């Protein structure tokens, strides 16, 4: 489900159907069958279109909201798993996690413009507010990367390792993170104009070469939710055009009371709202950019909450 100022879109579980609502009307404006079982949907071009990624199909459906039909199928070379939309520059980024690819779509021509081959499994993509950088997680290594367009070339820079990441949001050079295994919220303030040097011993350099040949391994959590540069993981998951200058960052962490673990979060009006599944409680924080606890909102719900919008 997503909601913007124009419409609310609901997806039927494990189906190809979506329903479009007006926020002020209880009945759906229309219901539409797309090409396949829906994996992800995103509004595009100011809500005029809805982009749909379907399971096991190498294309993205473009739903024309006004005319209520699938206006176009954008052909891809890989099966899409996730979509991020940059309306500022009329682009869409489509991750194909199994193929280690991010495809770039030109929304003006509604065609795939290029594809970026990675080593890893991109997921949980978020765009910075200016559309200049794409932040994503490599599912295989738990590493967060930021990809920007520099002198006509895409460049990836490592930020941090975050095991078991549940959700990631970004605002004003700050990445907000929650993990299903940690009762905390982390804010990473990053600086693209600065980096830290990675000093490698001969043994580390040898390990890098050996690691590139090894099968997939889990990256162990070191010292909490966020950990620093791991040469072995960096070598094994060396990204396309990966910079050797990891982004400098600082972290601040707040702990949810009584060990509650967060399941979802949303940014709204200068505040971060974090949902705790176990207690059905919403924690509120002021962001500036560090997190300042404001209080809690009990939902008075029974059962297990899963999302907040």
């Amino acid at each position: 489900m997503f909601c913007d100022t124009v419409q609310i879109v609901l997806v039927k579980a494990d189906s190809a159907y979506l329903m479009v609502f007006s926020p002020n009307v209880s009945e759906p404006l229309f219901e539409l069958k797309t090409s396949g079982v829906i994996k992800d949907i995103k509004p595009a071009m100011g809500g005029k279109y809805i982009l749909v990624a379907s399971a096991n199909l190498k294309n993205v459906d473009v739903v024309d909201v006004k005319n209520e039909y699938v206006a176009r199928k954008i052909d891809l070379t890989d099966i899409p798993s996730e979509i991020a939309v940059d309306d500022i520059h009329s682009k869409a980024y489509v991750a194909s996690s199994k193929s280690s690819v991010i495809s770039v779509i030109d929304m003006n021509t509604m065609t795939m413009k290029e594809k970026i081959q990675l080593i890893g499994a991109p997921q949980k993509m978020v765009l910075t507010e200016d559309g200049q950088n794409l932040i994503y997680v490599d599912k295989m290594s738990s590493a967060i990367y930021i990809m920007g367009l520099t002198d006509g070339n895409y460049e990836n820079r490592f930020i941090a390792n975050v095991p078991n990441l549940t959700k990631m949001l970004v605002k004003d050079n700050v990445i907000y993170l929650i993990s299903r295994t940690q009762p905390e919220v982390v804010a990473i303030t990053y600086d693209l104009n600065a980096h830290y040097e990675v000093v490698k011993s001969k043994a580390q350099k040898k390990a890098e070469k050996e690691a590139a040949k090894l099968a997939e391994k889990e990256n162990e959590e070191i010292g909490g939710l966020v950990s620093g540069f791991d040469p072995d993981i960096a070598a094994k998951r060396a990204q396309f055009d990966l910079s050797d200058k990891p982004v400098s960052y600082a972290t601040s962490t707040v702990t949810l009371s009584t060990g509650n673990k967060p399941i979802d979060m949303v940014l709204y009006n200068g505040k971060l709202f974090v949902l705790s599944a176990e207690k059905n409680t919403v924690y509120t924080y002021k962001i500036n950019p560090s997190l300042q606890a404001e209080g809690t909102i009990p939902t008075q719900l029974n059962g297990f909450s899963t999302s907040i919008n």
Side-chain angles (χ1 to χ4, degrees):
M1 181 183 78
F2 72 75
C3 175
D4 62 17
T5 58
V6 180
Q7 70 260 330
I8 300 170
V9 180
L10 299 177
V11 176
K12 292 184 177 180
D14 298 321
S15 80
Y17 288 90
L18 59 80
M19 291 183 291
V20 178
F21 292 80
S22 169
N24 300 317
V25 180
S26 59
E27 295 295 323
L29 299 176
F30 66 93
E31 182 174 351
L32 185 69
K33 184 179 181 180
T34 60
S35 297
V37 176
I38 297 172
K39 299 291 291 183
D40 193 21
I41 57 173
K42 290 293 189 301
M45 305 295 278
K48 294 180 181 178
Y49 300 102
I50 300 168
L51 301 184
V52 182
S54 300
N56 302 319
L57 295 175
K58 294 182 179 180
N59 65 262
V60 170
D61 282 352
V62 181
V63 176
D64 185 322
V65 174
K66 181 179 179 180
N67 295 301
E68 304 180 5
Y69 78 115
V70 177
R72 186 155 188 164
K73 296 181 186 294
I74 301 175
D75 292 329
L76 304 174
T77 59
D78 305 274
I79 297 172
S81 54
E82 191 176 310
I83 303 170
V85 175
D86 173 14
D87 275 342
I88 297 174
H89 301 99
S90 300
K91 291 182 179 180
Y93 296 88
V94 182
S96 300
S97 187
K98 291 183 179 179
S99 303
S100 303
V101 164
I102 293 178
S103 300
V104 184
I105 291 175
D106 183 337
M107 289 302 301
N108 291 317
T109 62
M110 292 192 183
T111 57
M112 187 181 78
K113 181 180 179 181
E114 57 187 317
K115 75 174 186 177
I116 306 164
Q117 185 68 54
L118 308 173
I119 299 176
Q123 64 169 6
K124 302 189 186 300
M125 298 186 299
V126 292
L127 283 159
T128 54
E129 293 168 288
D130 58 7
Q132 295 292 333
N133 296 284
L134 178 71
I135 302 171
Y136 70 93
V137 180
D138 175 5
K139 180 180 179 181
M140 307 309 297
S141 68
S142 301
I144 296 178
Y145 293 94
I146 184 165
M147 181 169 63
L149 185 61
T150 305
D151 298 327
N153 295 309
Y154 289 103
E155 180 188 52
N156 271 332
R157 294 179 66 185
F158 172 85
I159 298 180
N161 286 317
V162 184
N164 303 314
L165 181 65
T166 301
K167 189 166 185 178
M168 176 169 64
L169 299 173
V170 62
K171 183 176 177 60
D172 297 331
N173 286 8
V174 182
I175 304 170
Y176 299 96
L177 309 168
I178 54 174
S179 168
R180 63 182 180 275
T181 62
Q182 299 290 332
E184 60 189 33
V185 183
V186 175
I188 297 179
T189 303
Y190 63 88
D191 183 359
L192 292 177
N193 296 316
H195 69 277
Y196 59 92
E197 297 292 341
V198 180
V199 180
K200 303 174 185 178
S201 65
K202 289 183 179 180
Q204 285 176 320
K205 291 178 181 179
K206 181 180 179 181
E208 286 185 4
K209 295 179 180 179
E210 294 176 350
K213 301 177 183 178
L214 294 177
E216 293 174 0
K217 69 174 182 179
E218 293 293 332
N219 184 35
E220 296 181 355
E221 180 180 350
I222 302 174
L225 181 59
V226 177
S227 58
F229 191 83
D230 184 330
D232 290 353
I233 291 296
K236 182 166 64 69
R237 295 295 171 197
Q239 305 297 299
F240 174 81
D241 198 20
L242 175 63
S243 170
D244 61 356
K245 297 179 179 179
V247 176
S248 289
Y249 67 89
T251 64
S252 62
T253 302
V254 293
T255 302
L256 277 62
S257 63
T258 65
N260 292 334
K261 295 181 177 64
I263 191 76
D264 199 7
M265 61 180 174
V266 64
L267 283 167
Y268 178 72
N269 199 26
K271 295 182 181 180
L272 183 68
F273 297 84
V274 181
L275 174 65
S276 167
E278 293 99 330
K279 301 296 182 180
N280 289 320
T281 299
V282 176
Y283 294 81
T284 62
Y285 302 94
K286 185 182 292 185
I287 56 174
N288 63 345
S290 61
L291 295 166
Q292 298 179 354
E294 285 199 328
T296 60
I297 305 172
T299 63
Q300 308 297 328
L301 297 174
N302 296 320
F304 189 87
S305 299
T306 58
S307 65
I308 180 172
N309 288 288

